Amino acid sequence: MKITGIKTHIFSSQHRNAKRNWLILRLTTDEGIEGIGEASMLSHDPMVATLLHEWTEAYLVGKNPLHHEVHWTRMYQDNLGRGGRLFSTALSGIDIALWDLRGKALGVPVYELLGGPYTDRIRVYANGWYTNPGLPEQNAEEALRVEAQLAEDRVAAVREAVGPNVEILVEVHAKFNVYTAIHLGKRLEQYRPFWFEEPVSQENVSEMKQVRDNVNIPIATGERLYTKFPFFELVKNEAVDILQPDMCNAGGITELKKIAAIAEPQHIMMAPHNTNAAVGTVASFHLDAAMPNFLIQEYHAEFYEPHYFEVFDGLPRQKNGYVELPKGAGLGLTFNEEVANAHPHMPLDH
């Protein structure tokens, strides 16, 4: 079997508090089998699509799709833009499609190729249920002080509303400096958050370690880190408790499996980030099932418009905080092109 080309599609949906575009790719072969991947960057998707077509022609056409490690390494090593979000997203999408192709060719689910499932269902958490109230008049030091108080009040209100038996996950998106993150983290400890996500800049390992050393809440980060290398630095420096690489941005199934292996000896858990369409979501499910240090999976799906669920057949829906393992060969998804075409790329607000 040889790769013959690629097809790309961008479709959109309205989240309750955001617009989203997703980039889907299909690697074609001379045996008629197609591998479905996703390379959604949440911005500049047409640019990623152009890169996907260039890479397919330069690196993949005429090659064996089962050699996914070789293809990953060549595409990574041969490009000066390696390690950034753009190139890593394109690489991720191709890698996911190659795994889907491999599973379809062998007639087994991807999780079987990854060593088999540790579980028959995946724990998921809801994200996207919130709104984003802003305070435009805030600035500089006033903003830091006011946001810290507002954040505590929000967490306190949620804890009171849901009671003691529901997990609360606090995300900060790296908006704070070290002092503010520690100050807020200590105030939030009494509400027993499941984790404190991206309290400071994800690129600065020493800052993350300072927060972890001073706050008694598990520290999570990784949605804006790409390939195994920055994750290794976090693990080596004992700066984090939970890693959150994104399937569609950090290097695909091949790379996330290696990130999980780096984390495992220090008993660091994996909770993959996910704001993706069905492909990235289901690819994450397959890997989640095969990771011994899997913790929980982000799951946005229930907060999109109905057509989100019609673009693909085969997306497991959550029930009582869990999803069942995907069924079928490869990822187990079928792409409905007409539905995707009815919801084309839409411009995003800044």
Side-chain angles (χ1 to χ4, degrees):
M1 181 166 56
K2 303 295 183 185
I3 297 170
T4 57
I6 187 172
K7 301 174 184 176
T8 56
H9 312 265
I10 301 175
F11 80 97
S12 62
S13 178
Q14 181 70 47
H15 191 281
R16 66 176 293 173
N17 62 7
K19 297 176 183 177
R20 289 273 160 77
N21 293 304
W22 292 284
L23 173 54
I24 307 303
L25 64 110
R26 297 150 64 193
L27 288 179
T28 59
T29 68
D30 58 358
E31 294 187 10
I33 303 174
E34 289 189 349
I36 300 174
E38 181 177 350
S40 299
M41 201 166 71
L42 300 185
S43 63
H44 308 296
D45 295 290
M47 185 186 303
V48 183
T50 299
L51 186 58
L52 287 169
H53 284 273
E54 291 178 357
W55 279 11
T56 300
E57 185 63 33
Y59 296 103
L60 299 176
V61 169
K63 303 293 177 57
N64 187 335
L66 302 184
H67 298 169
H68 66 277
E69 284 274 5
V70 174
H71 301 320
W72 197 102
T73 302
R74 284 178 173 160
M75 287 185 287
Y76 178 79
Q77 297 284 6
D78 202 32
N79 286 284
L80 294 177
R82 70 186 193 186
R85 186 173 179 87
L86 173 61
F87 279 32
S88 296
T89 298
L91 184 54
S92 300
I94 290 172
D95 183 73
I96 295 168
L98 289 172
W99 278 96
D100 185 45
L101 259 174
R102 190 180 183 195
K104 288 174 177 174
L106 298 175
V108 297
V110 167
Y111 60 75
E112 296 287 1
L113 302 175
L114 293 168
Y118 285 91
T119 180
D120 58 4
R121 61 179 189 162
I122 305 297
R123 189 184 185 194
V124 297
Y125 70 91
N127 199 350
W129 54 271
Y130 53 85
T131 57
N132 290 311
L135 298 173
E137 70 277 11
Q138 295 174 356
N139 57 53
E141 294 182 7
E142 288 183 322
L144 293 177
R145 289 198 301 270
V146 174
E147 280 295 324
Q149 179 62 54
L150 182 58
E152 181 183 2
D153 291 345
R154 286 175 179 165
V155 174
V158 172
R159 173 55 73 202
E160 182 178 0
V162 302
N165 298 320
V166 174
E167 303 287 8
I168 299 174
L169 291 69
V170 177
E171 180 173 14
V172 184
H173 267 306
K175 300 298 184 185
F176 293 139
N177 58 25
V178 172
Y179 167 78
T180 307
I182 293 174
H183 178 64
L184 174 61
K186 286 183 174 296
R187 290 162 60 176
L188 295 181
E189 288 175 358
Q190 62 182 308
Y191 306 110
R192 298 183 295 104
F194 192 73
W195 67 45
F196 195 19
E197 180 177 341
E198 278 196 335
V200 291
S201 171
Q202 70 279 2
E203 298 96 345
N204 194 322
V205 175
S206 65
E207 288 188 1
M208 198 72 68
K209 179 170 173 53
Q210 289 178 69
V211 177
R212 182 174 185 258
D213 288 345
N214 287 279
V215 174
N216 191 26
I217 305 171
I219 302 301
T221 194
E223 70 178 78
R224 289 178 287 181
L225 297 175
Y226 315 110
T227 75
K228 67 182 81 68
F229 302 104
F231 290 95
F232 171 73
E233 293 298 322
L234 287 167
V235 172
K236 181 179 70 174
N237 288 281
E238 300 181 344
V240 69
D241 300 286
I242 300 154
L243 297 181
Q244 300 173 296
D246 191 295
M247 175 63 66
C248 293
N249 305 130
I253 295 172
T254 297
E255 194 73 344
L256 264 66
K257 183 172 175 61
K258 294 177 182 179
I259 293 168
I262 290 169
E264 185 183 357
Q266 293 216 51
H267 305 287
I268 292 172
M269 304 299 285
M270 293 286 289
H273 177 262
N274 174 48
T275 54
N276 302 309
V279 181
T281 301
V282 170
S284 297
F285 292 164
H286 282 274
L287 182 62
D288 295 340
M291 288 191 295
N293 53 337
F294 168 70
L295 178 62
I296 196 169
Q297 175 63 56
E298 185 170 13
Y299 180 86
H300 268 239
E302 303 301 334
F303 305 101
Y304 292 111
E305 296 172 286
H307 71 263
Y308 175 93
F309 300 98
E310 299 167 3
V311 174
F312 288 94
D313 298 328
L315 171 64
R317 301 286 291 270
Q318 78 84 25
K319 183 177 181 181
N320 298 324
Y322 289 85
V323 298
E324 301 296 323
L325 288 186
K327 299 182 179 1
L331 295 176
L333 293 172
T334 302
F335 180 55
N336 298 316
E337 186 173 352
E338 290 186 5
V339 179
N341 290 342
H343 302 278
H345 177 271
M346 61 180 172
L348 301 178
D349 299 326
H350 291 289

